[in-house]
Amino acid sequence: AYVTLAVLHSIPSWLTVLVISRDVIILVGATMLHLMHGPIPIPIRPLPISKLTTFFQLGTLLAVLLAPLYGFGQHRMMTALFLATGALTVVSGLRYMFIGVKFLTAREAQRR
């Protein structure tokens, strides 16, 4: 949906890149951890910030799709929504990266 709406110029391209990049980075990171260390002995659950991020990402899609019908697509409001969604996406992605680095650091300390 993000790619399609970016191609249609309904969502900024930078937001689409952030949303997709975050998911790809999380997927690649988890795959690398699994390949390097086998099954990860910690439960992987969504973080509260990630749940909020998902809410905003889906809400942004809904707002963009409904804006022409209900006329609430004022530039300032949509810009604020795009910025909030982008910020949450970045913070959520960084949080997952921090958890991955913390896991790797703990694994290295155990090996020593």
Side-chain angles (χ1 to χ4, degrees):
Y2 271 87
V3 172
T4 300
L5 290 173
V7 168
L8 295 173
H9 303 289
S10 297
I11 286 183
S13 298
W14 62 263
L15 183 57
T16 300
V17 169
L18 281 179
V19 169
I20 292 172
S21 296
R22 173 193 167 266
D23 289 345
V24 169
I25 289 168
I26 291 170
L27 179 62
V28 168
T31 301
M32 286 177 53
L33 284 175
H34 180 75
L35 292 174
M36 292 170 54
H37 299 285
I40 301 172
I42 55 174
I44 300 176
R45 295 185 206 118
L47 302 172
I49 186 72
S50 294
K51 290 181 179 187
L52 185 60
T53 300
T54 299
F55 175 80
F56 266 79
Q57 288 176 351
L58 294 175
T60 297
L61 291 175
L62 185 62
V64 168
L65 292 172
L66 294 178
L69 297 174
Y70 295 102
F72 59 81
Q74 297 125 353
H75 183 67
R76 286 184 186 155
M77 186 177 91
M78 294 305 270
T79 299
L81 184 58
F82 296 153
L83 291 172
T85 301
L88 285 167
T89 300
V90 169
V91 170
S92 171
L94 290 173
R95 184 71 180 117
Y96 278 113
M97 289 172 69
F98 174 78
I99 290 169
V101 168
K102 187 175 169 183
F103 174 78
L104 287 174
T105 304
R107 279 284 205 171
E108 279 300 314
Q110 288 175 349
R111 289 184 179 178
R112 293 180 189 177

